[in-house]
Amino acid sequence: MFVFRAAVVGAGTMGGQIAQTIAAAGIPVVLKDVDDALVQAGLEEASRVTRAQVAKLADRGKITAEQAEAQIAEIVGRIEGTTTYEAFGDVDFVVEAVPERMEIKLQVFAELDASTPGHAILSSNTSSLSITEIGEATLRADKVVGFHYFYPASLMPLIEIVEGEDTSAETVAAAVTFAQAIRKQPITCAEVPGFVVNRILTSGSSEIWREQEEKGLSIKQIDAGVGAAGVSPVGPYHLVDLLGLDTVLHVAEHLLESYGPERFYAPEGMRRLVAEGKLGAKTGGDGFYDPDGQPNIEGDSEPDVAELVELLSLKTLHEACLVLEEQVAGHRDIDFGMMAGAGLDPRRGLLPPFMKADSEGLDTVLERMESAAERYGERFSAPVILRRLVAQGRLGQKSGQGFYPYPRPDAEQPAETVKLERRGEVAIAWLANGQMNSIAPQVIADLGKVWNSVRGSGVRALVIASSNPFLYSAGADIKEFTKFDEASGEELARSAHALFKELGSDRIATIAAVNGLAYGGGCELAMACDVRIAARAALFGQPEIKLGIIPGFGGTQRLPRLVGVNKALEMNLIGDPVLAEEAFEFGLVNRVVEDHELLDTALAWARRLAGQAPIAMEQIKRVSGAGDLDEGLEAEKRGFATAFTSDDGKEGIAAFLAKRPPEFKGS
């Protein structure tokens, strides 16, 4: 599904900013509300945000003042304000951003269903309401999806894409593609109260809210202490003032009703302030603090900051584990959501829950969780997934694997951007080329060095994995490739093709463990391997055509062999990503597993393949799918003869007849 024109219903501050994010990406958008004053307010908000963004470019000397004015006019000019549905007849994607009341949303979606074309996707910006129930107001429940922005929409990069019970996989994939097109970072999740980020964030904050009201603690001291403790970007009460007390209270009360008072808490002080119209930044800075920075909440007792930080950290992890156990989202999407939606950015020393637990040691965290349960009750009872990982010896960074795998490369390395870790007959090549793990010329050379070092060394299976916990490889490093002249470019292409061909034809089995985004060269590297294991959060794509080029490392040849000519042509011509489940459905990947099980599964495949006859494996790899049928059959005959007459072939037959395990030597 392609989006050439979009619409936003609800022209408040949020709606105006949502429309601006779409227009800034070059997509015309209709902004609707019930009267002209509201529409005008939304347009003014979009204009204000645009001016602020473009002004930064001008201040940095990126564009001239005249270019800035032209760019502002161009972006704002893509937004059409309206009070009717007359302009909705050709929209492809709608974002609803009306007040968080189900009756209003049901009415709006019924109207959208009647006024938009049948192919259009109808999405809701709801932060907590049921997508399934909203979809029932339409005749296209399969095309209704959650598309949850975080405030302020113009700045926050995260979008939670929420799958209702009736939402189709095609709709989810289209929503992911659209989110990327408007330069946002999506995560996908199942439909539960609070979804991912708000549920986890509110669970942790509930502990501080509860302690403050029960003990009459000073919110000013809480904000100062917790804000400086490296567990949140700002103090908890200051954060609520920024987000809006009414919005946070609505989510807190919904989660309290959904999960009970043992896990969630809605502060009476927040209820009182909302009733008084003191909502934080949106009401002139009058919320938990008055405009002069003085607390509007009673309490002057000194908090035990260390204890509050412990409660906040443990409860945040606890709720994240429950979200994971309920299969609402994978651990990678949960952590990424907390990074992009709650500001827990490792670059600022703020770690999201699973990454933080791994760094502290899961056994240590489990002990602290059990201690908290003794003091505070069942809401801190250790989650099953945490107990299981500790029982397995997966303790985090110190053991090499926890919620995430951690490279433990050999002391001596053959390369820099690819790290080698030997585990007997199995080895791991860790891609380690910076934040985007791009396939730069140096990576090709280094992967070749690693490959040559394992050949003939007793290694029989090589897993190619990413050292970046959030992506496999964003693709080729285009800037580096443009530095090559014709001769050096041809040499690079030759060496890359030769290496990728060996990965798929040598007697060493190769397994790609794809943990996240695998685009362009990253996808081509995975396709060159014998087996591809994908985490549920993985994305695959060949976006080269969007740059005016074509795949250069075998994407036009290996892709059709895996998914068929039609699907390969679609992927290469359109350039949009496919989700892991679709990749499995079309044969691009062999298995899709839960994110935290990816490396274990890849290593299990590696151990199994390492036990197969090397010569037979080599011949099977070389002749499978070779040329046309006649050429392939001839290649198969030659390969069969080679394998059958080898020592391994004789050993395999002898072992079968003797009813014993074979001992293959590769000869």
Side-chain angles (χ1 to χ4, degrees):
M1 207 282 295
F2 310 120
V3 179
F4 299 106
R5 184 174 167 85
V8 177
V9 179
T13 299
M14 194 68 165
Q17 291 196 17
I18 291 173
Q20 194 274 340
T21 67
I22 298 170
I27 300 171
V29 56
V30 182
L31 178 61
K32 179 193 178 298
D33 215 312
V34 293
D35 65 48
D36 287 327
L38 292 172
V39 172
Q40 190 59 37
L43 292 173
E44 289 173 358
E45 178 65 14
S47 179
R48 182 193 68 79
V49 168
T50 303
R51 285 192 172 278
Q53 291 177 348
V54 174
K56 291 180 180 179
L57 297 176
D59 291 343
R60 295 172 187 164
K62 301 284 187 180
I63 55 177
T64 65
E66 293 77 13
Q67 290 171 328
E69 286 301 319
Q71 193 171 121
I72 293 168
E74 184 179 4
I75 292 173
V76 176
R78 295 192 187 106
I79 307 174
E80 175 187 349
T82 182
T83 58
T84 73
Y85 287 108
E86 292 180 3
F88 281 62
D90 61 349
V91 301
D92 307 300
F93 198 103
V94 181
V95 182
E96 165 272 308
V98 302
E100 285 283 88
R101 290 168 52 189
M102 182 59 80
E103 65 271 19
I104 298 177
K105 293 185 185 291
L106 293 178
Q107 178 183 343
V108 167
F109 271 78
E111 294 168 351
L112 286 170
D113 194 38
S115 59
T116 59
H119 72 269
I121 290 175
L122 309 180
S123 75
S124 175
N125 183 50
T126 180
S127 60
S128 59
L129 299 180
S130 169
I131 299 301
T132 300
E133 185 176 350
I134 291 171
E136 291 172 354
T138 75
L139 298 178
R140 61 178 99 178
D142 62 314
K143 290 185 173 64
V144 176
V145 67
F147 203 72
H148 178 218
Y149 280 80
F150 285 74
Y151 183 80
S154 60
L155 296 177
M156 296 297 284
L158 181 68
I159 289 181
E160 286 178 327
I161 294 175
V162 186
E163 183 177 356
E165 293 179 8
D166 302 310
T167 308
S168 70
E170 291 78 11
T171 296
V172 173
V176 168
T177 300
F178 181 60
Q180 292 177 333
I182 59 175
R183 305 184 186 99
K184 295 295 182 180
Q185 298 169 347
I187 64 170
T188 60
C189 63
E191 176 186 75
V192 294
F195 310 143
V196 174
V197 175
N198 279 340
R199 174 176 162 182
I200 296 171
L201 189 61
T202 304
S203 180
S205 298
S206 288
E207 296 304 313
I208 291 180
W209 297 338
R210 193 192 312 265
E211 287 286 296
Q212 190 278 325
E213 291 201 330
E214 289 180 354
K215 299 179 179 179
L217 303 178
S218 163
I219 67 169
K220 200 166 188 178
Q221 292 185 53
I222 290 174
D223 272 353
V226 174
V231 292
S232 64
V234 296
Y237 291 93
H238 180 55
L239 177 63
V240 175
D241 271 358
L242 294 175
L243 297 176
L245 275 71
D246 53 340
T247 302
V248 174
L249 179 62
H250 171 79
V251 173
E253 289 181 330
H254 179 62
L255 292 171
L256 176 64
E257 180 182 354
S258 300
Y259 297 108
E262 188 63 22
R263 283 167 59 187
F264 288 89
Y265 189 82
E268 288 300 324
M270 194 187 305
R271 288 193 176 103
R272 175 179 61 80
L273 292 172
V274 170
E276 294 173 358
K278 297 177 179 179
L279 309 182
K282 66 174 70 175
T283 53
D286 202 8
F288 276 119
Y289 297 94
D290 66 22
D292 295 325
Q294 297 304 309
N296 277 330
I297 292 292
E298 295 181 356
D300 55 10
S301 296
E302 183 177 353
D304 183 339
V305 172
E307 183 69 4
L308 290 180
V309 168
E310 179 74 346
L311 291 174
L312 172 64
S313 299
L314 290 177
K315 192 63 181 307
T316 297
L317 174 64
H318 189 280
E319 199 66 37
C321 286
L322 297 183
V323 172
L324 178 63
E325 290 178 1
E326 295 166 16
Q327 297 185 328
V328 175
H331 77 288
R332 176 262 186 201
D333 273 359
I334 293 170
D335 263 4
F336 190 79
M338 294 299 289
M339 288 167 58
L344 299 181
D345 188 344
R347 293 170 297 183
R348 299 173 57 192
L350 303 172
L351 299 180
F354 296 126
M355 192 177 289
K356 182 178 176 64
D358 274 357
S359 70
E360 294 173 342
L362 300 191
D363 51 344
T364 301
V365 173
L366 177 58
E367 291 177 4
R368 289 161 46 201
M369 192 84 74
E370 290 172 337
S371 176
E374 292 177 1
R375 288 177 289 147
Y376 295 97
E378 285 297 311
R379 68 182 186 273
F380 285 97
S381 179
V384 172
I385 185 66
L386 181 59
R387 293 185 181 278
R388 180 185 299 164
L389 292 175
V390 172
Q392 294 170 348
R394 294 173 55 170
L395 308 181
Q397 291 181 6
K398 61 186 176 184
S399 68
Q401 197 164 1
F403 287 102
Y404 295 97
Y406 297 91
R408 307 184 85 178
D410 300 348
E412 295 185 5
Q413 288 292 314
E416 295 181 7
T417 61
V418 181
K419 303 299 183 182
L420 177 62
E421 179 180 343
R422 288 182 173 88
R423 300 188 181 188
E425 291 186 332
V426 171
I428 306 172
W430 294 97
L431 303 176
N433 187 34
Q435 186 175 352
M436 302 309 290
N437 237 345
S438 56
I439 306 298
Q442 185 63 46
V443 173
I444 298 294
D446 285 356
L447 184 58
K449 293 176 183 177
V450 168
W451 177 247
N452 289 331
S453 73
V454 299
R455 297 178 73 185
S457 69
V459 170
R460 292 188 176 180
L462 179 68
V463 174
I464 301 180
S466 172
S467 62
N468 184 316
F470 298 112
L471 59 80
Y472 188 70
S473 171
D477 189 331
I478 301 299
K479 289 184 179 179
E480 285 297 316
F481 283 100
T482 58
K483 298 176 182 178
F484 282 66
D485 58 23
E486 184 175 350
S488 58
E490 288 181 0
E491 174 57 26
L492 173 65
R494 185 204 62 76
S495 61
H497 279 285
L499 173 60
F500 283 19
K501 184 177 180 180
E502 287 183 5
L503 295 177
S505 61
D506 192 89
R507 62 182 59 182
I508 296 177
T510 51
I511 302 96
V514 184
N515 60 323
L517 183 149
Y519 281 1
C523 184
E524 289 171 302
L525 172 58
M527 288 191 291
C529 294
D530 304 322
V531 174
R532 286 152 297 284
I533 309 297
R536 203 164 297 280
L539 284 172
F540 297 84
Q542 297 285 172
E544 288 88 349
I545 194 167
K546 296 181 179 181
L547 301 176
I549 59 177
I550 71 171
F553 291 155
T556 64
Q557 301 304 308
R558 291 188 179 90
L559 189 57
R561 290 171 182 259
L562 292 169
V563 306
V565 173
N566 287 343
K567 186 62 179 178
L569 195 61
E570 173 190 320
M571 289 180 64
N572 281 327
L573 288 179
I574 302 302
D576 286 345
V578 297
L579 305 181
E581 291 290 351
E582 184 182 2
F584 174 72
E585 178 184 346
F586 282 99
L588 180 55
V589 301
N590 298 78
R591 295 290 187 276
V592 177
V593 300
E594 297 304 323
D595 293 13
H596 61 283
E597 297 175 357
L598 175 64
L599 187 63
D600 282 347
T601 303
L603 288 172
W605 276 75
R607 286 192 293 269
R608 178 59 185 271
L609 292 173
Q612 306 290 53
I615 292 178
M617 177 180 294
E618 181 179 37
Q619 293 303 319
I620 289 171
K621 289 169 65 172
R622 288 185 176 183
V623 305
S624 294
D628 63 19
L629 180 59
D630 290 338
E631 292 175 354
L633 290 174
E634 288 302 316
E636 183 179 288
K637 291 177 186 177
R638 294 191 296 271
F640 179 82
T642 300
F644 188 79
T645 58
S646 68
D647 291 341
D648 277 353
K650 295 172 184 177
E651 164 64 10
I653 293 171
F656 174 78
L657 294 174
K659 297 183 179 180
R660 62 172 174 79
E663 295 182 5
F664 297 122
K665 304 295 185 182
S667 59

